[in-house]
Amino acid sequence: MPNSPTPTHCPYCALQCGMNLTPAADGTVEVGERADFPVNRGALCGKGRTAPAVLSSRVRLTSPLVRSEGTLVPATWDEALDRIAGGLARTRSEHGPDACGVFGGGGLTNEKAYTLGKFARVVLGTSQIDYNGRFCMSSAAAGGMKAFGLDRGLPFPLEDIPKSGCVILVGSNLAETMPPALRFFTELKENGGTLIVIDPRRTRTAEQADLHLMPRPGTDLALALGLLHLVVAEGRVDEEYVRERTVGWEDARAAAMAHWPEYVERITGVSVPQLRETVRMFCEPESAMVLTARGPEQQSKGTDTVSAWINLCLATGRAGRPYSGYGCLTGQGNGQGGREHGQKADQLPGYRKLDDPAARAHVAEVWGVDPDSLPGPGRSAYELLDALGTDIRSLLLMGSNPVVSAPRAAHIEERIKSLDFLAVCDVVLSETAALADVVLPVTQWAEETGTTTNLEGRVLLRRKAISPPDGIRSDLEVLHELADRLGVEKGFPTDPEEVFEELRRASAGGPADYSGITYRRLAEENGVFWPCPSADTAAGPGPTENTTAGPRPTQNTTSWPHPTQNTTSGPRPTQNTTSGPRPTQNTTSGPRPTENTAVGSRPTEDTTAHPGTPRLFLDRFAHPDGRARFVPVSHRAVAEEPDAEYPVLLTTGRVVAQYQSGAQTRRVDELNAAAPGPFVELHPRLAERLGAAEGDPVAVVSRRGRAVAPARITLGIRPDTVFMPFHWYGEGRANTLTNPALDPTSRMPEFKACAVRVEAVERQDAG
């Protein structure tokens, strides 16, 4: 009998595109379209199509490795696990629990992220845990929490984008970072909507725009403030909305009025006519959105920048209304779920705050420990890495490659080398794993079952399609074995569904409430949007659901940020999306998007289950009074402005054929053929001054180091700016140059703007 396809999801970006996997007779795995999944409708980028290549034993780790006389050599699992447990125990005994660090990844499943956070706090007793998702969307998260009282990347499904009247896309090149998402913006334009792209480069995404603004890197905050100034000056403020649904407008208005158009033009390089045209295009339609990505967020003022764009949405009545709002395009595969359930320095499962006594009590009860035994908040990602070898003496690292991905990477590499002990769990021997004392080979996406949460807040089920090679174990098994060796025999199950059931209890009543979600529902409904409280949730901000038969009860709109349901006539409508009318929503401003989240039919055994919340804030925001907050902000310069010695700004990003630190994609022949190495993108004027031709090696030098890569000369970048992709190690490592200046709220490093100089390099000296 031929193998039947297994429906699952791509291991890479936050779209988490649906795909079918079928084992072939020759031992390979074939990728097939999965047209039923609404995010990608079968479409896949090159990374998704070639993802099974990393499953090959030719490129992956197949045995534990331990360091012996300076070299990593194969070892048994017992030897490797004993050595890790011994290293962590020794550090804890000699230096205290906070001398043990834990560093996770935004690609870990919810189950792994949850268990890793629990392991750090219950087994090691350390506060020193964070993850590489801090480098992804932490500024957007902080801005969303300030304004709305809740952080979810997109507060609406991607399918709402084509129905909007205008979308401002700030600092995103999604045509290369998440290509299947581009169709939503193509459909937007086909429907008569407009697309405004803000980026200092003429990217593939910018080429699709009706209007492309090219601000100087690091000036997105001033740009947003200038637009809000014009909204006020031109009488485009939605006064009724501001009065009824927000607080803090007067202070935000006063801050914006200090940023008049000509001043903003001088700061950003965006002309006053372009500023006015942006305001017109954004304000004239009935609905509009602002979507940000790493461009405005990876700055030392990223949180304020996000707040400024949210203020623009609030002043124009563009948040919490149909086909409108602010959203963040999450980058990593589980960047959303990864920070919701405990691997972030200041959070407990369910997006609970670690310093909240009620949150500590709830989670401690689920874990069966004393709340007072839980450590407090620890260091953020960069601060944790910077403390390696001094305050933090041993590190357990899962699913991250900071030697390539961290800012000021050469310094971080030295900090990692100075550790007393380093253990890494990964599927490949990354540049960071190569420095470890012990490396454990772990299962990959296609070899295990688990959940992720995509950029929409849609919780998804990745299914196991194949068995891993002999000798490979899952991260959950690793943590179970280490906990046992360190004296905690119970509480660390290896079955992902069992872990998820505990996660449901731990998240119940929290902002990111998963308690109404089950593996069965995820399989039958093609994902469920959080918050999704269960019928018996007794605590927290979510309403209690009536589980008796008959009409569905009204939602309590004074205590939860999702919309009320119209229950004024008859029983609750069925959830079949293929026939019959969908239930209408009661709204005061245009047609409200329906709340049906099921792609297929609802689970028959649970007809009263909460349907999940695809659209947040339509009736109220998540602050106790239900109102959004304006946050008054003002422009300030990047942490490192150009000067005579370093006269150019460097910005960094991704290319379509590689992903993040490249640890996996750089092992795929097809992807390497398309993007074989780093480059420096620069304007012809700058190239002429250097005497550099296309392909010539050039050096980019910052106060932190030097990187060399071939020149790529294009009119599609500002003359005062150079761009480097950050996927590679070695002399072309872009993050050797980047500035670790941190946002005071989100602790996001300033990846997107640092002062550099560019130098010509003789070809014989390159390399």
Side-chain angles (χ1 to χ4, degrees), residues 552-555 562-568 583 585-586 595 611-612 619:
R552 183 178 180 197
T554 328
Q555 303 285 344
H562 70 256
T564 57
Q565 305 286 337
N566 185 345
T567 59
T568 57
Q585 303 291 328
N586 182 6
E595 288 299 307
D619 289 297

Side-chain angles (χ1 to χ4, degrees), residues 416-428:
I416 289 173
K417 289 178 179 178
S418 72
L419 281 164
D420 294 345
F421 182 80
L422 170 65
V424 173
C425 299
D426 211 330
V427 299
V428 297

Side-chain angles (χ1 to χ4, degrees), residues 67 72 403 412-414 416-417 419 421-424 429-439 729:
R67 191 164 296 279
L72 288 171
V403 164
I412 295 304
E413 183 173 359
E414 290 305 311
I416 289 173
K417 289 178 179 178
L419 281 164
F421 182 80
L422 170 65
V424 173
L429 190 66
S430 70
E431 288 78 10
T432 304
L435 303 177
D437 297 284
V438 181
V439 184
Y729 183 63

Side-chain angles (χ1 to χ4, degrees), residues 464-487:
K464 180 178 179 179
I466 60 171
S467 295
D470 292 339
I472 306 297
R473 300 187 185 181
S474 74
D475 295 282
L476 294 179
E477 291 175 299
V478 169
L479 292 171
H480 171 86
E481 292 290 339
L482 291 177
D484 184 62
R485 283 167 167 78
L486 290 166

Side-chain angles (χ1 to χ4, degrees), residues 13-37:
C13 82
L15 289 179
Q16 289 294 280
C17 291
M19 59 170 59
N20 286 318
L21 296 182
T22 306
D26 62 359
T28 61
V29 178
E30 296 177 354
V31 175
E33 290 188 2
R34 185 179 164 193
D36 68 314
F37 188 61

Side-chain angles (χ1 to χ4, degrees), residues 260-345:
W260 59 94
E262 292 77 11
Y263 172 56
V264 169
E265 180 182 76
R266 289 198 301 273
I267 294 171
T268 65
V270 177
S271 70
V272 172
Q274 285 183 313
L275 295 173
R276 294 189 184 279
E277 179 65 3
T278 301
V279 168
R280 184 194 67 78
M281 292 171 65
F282 185 68
C283 292
E284 285 188 354
E286 183 178 351
S287 58
M289 299 175 176
V290 172
L291 305 178
T292 66
R294 305 302 78 75
E297 298 163 16
Q298 287 182 327
Q299 299 183 26
S300 60
K301 53 182 182 295
T303 302
D304 283 359
T305 303
V306 167
S307 293
W309 288 105
I310 292 175
N311 288 349
L312 180 68
C313 292
L314 294 176
T316 53
R318 306 302 207 188
R321 281 182 169 171
Y323 314 124
S324 292
Y326 165 79
C328 165
L329 298 174
T330 310
Q332 294 193 79
N334 198 32
Q336 181 70 51
R339 72 178 181 283
E340 293 170 2
H341 299 301
Q343 65 172 335
K344 191 163 173 277

Side-chain angles (χ1 to χ4, degrees), residues 114 118 122 361-371 373-374 491 502:
Y114 171 85
K118 182 180 179 182
V122 172
H362 174 87
V363 174
E365 182 177 5
V366 173
W367 288 351
V369 299
D370 184 342
S373 71
L374 298 178
E502 183 178 304

Side-chain angles (χ1 to χ4, degrees), residues 429-689:
L429 190 66
S430 70
E431 288 78 10
T432 304
L435 303 177
D437 297 284
V438 181
V439 184
L440 298 181
V442 291
T443 50
Q444 298 188 54
W445 57 289
E447 302 163 345
E448 59 188 9
T449 294
T451 63
T452 61
T453 307
N454 80 345
L455 76 172
E456 308 165 293
R458 188 194 303 252
V459 186
L460 304 166
L461 184 64
R462 279 192 196 161
R463 298 169 177 86
K464 180 178 179 179
I466 60 171
S467 295
D470 292 339
I472 306 297
R473 300 187 185 181
S474 74
D475 295 282
L476 294 179
E477 291 175 299
V478 169
L479 292 171
H480 171 86
E481 292 290 339
L482 291 177
D484 184 62
R485 283 167 167 78
L486 290 166
V488 181
E489 298 178 0
K490 296 181 179 180
F492 289 87
T494 60
D495 177 62
E497 187 168 9
E498 186 178 348
V499 175
F500 190 78
E501 288 300 304
E502 183 178 304
L503 183 157
R504 292 176 61 203
R505 298 194 302 275
S507 73
D513 191 336
Y514 284 30
S515 62
I517 304 174
T518 63
Y519 270 31
R520 180 167 182 174
R521 284 193 65 182
L522 294 177
E524 296 187 359
E525 300 179 38
N526 230 343
V528 177
F529 291 84
W530 73 260
C532 182
S534 67
D536 57 359
T537 299
T544 302
E545 295 283 344
N546 184 345
T547 59
T548 59
R552 183 178 180 197
T554 328
Q555 303 285 344
N556 179 352
T557 63
T558 64
S559 61
W560 192 248
H562 70 256
T564 57
Q565 305 286 337
N566 185 345
T567 59
T568 57
S569 59
R572 181 186 181 189
T574 61
Q575 298 293 319
N576 187 340
T577 63
T578 60
S579 62
R582 293 175 109 182
T584 56
Q585 303 291 328
N586 182 6
T587 181
T588 58
S589 59
R592 176 170 297 171
T594 57
E595 288 299 307
N596 187 337
T597 66
V599 177
S601 60
R602 292 291 306 283
T604 55
E605 84 284 3
D606 188 11
T607 57
T608 58
H610 190 287
T613 313
R615 297 172 181 89
L616 298 168
F617 312 139
L618 291 180
D619 289 297
R620 68 188 315 275
F621 295 98
H623 289 295
D625 60 3
R627 292 172 176 261
R629 269 59 171 157
F630 281 97
V631 178
V633 293
S634 297
H635 167 71
R636 62 182 186 274
V638 296
E640 191 176 73
E641 284 283 356
D643 57 21
E645 187 177 3
Y646 300 97
V648 178
L649 280 170
L650 167 72
T651 192
T652 64
R654 288 167 48 191
V655 297
V656 66
Q658 301 289 352
Y659 181 73
Q660 304 299 68
S661 76
Q664 296 184 41
T665 52
R666 285 187 276 116
R667 288 166 168 81
V668 179
D669 292 341
E670 180 180 330
L671 300 179
N672 278 333
F679 57 87
V680 180
E681 189 176 277
L682 66 162
H683 192 274
R685 255 187 264 163
L686 178 55
E688 183 179 5
R689 288 203 300 270

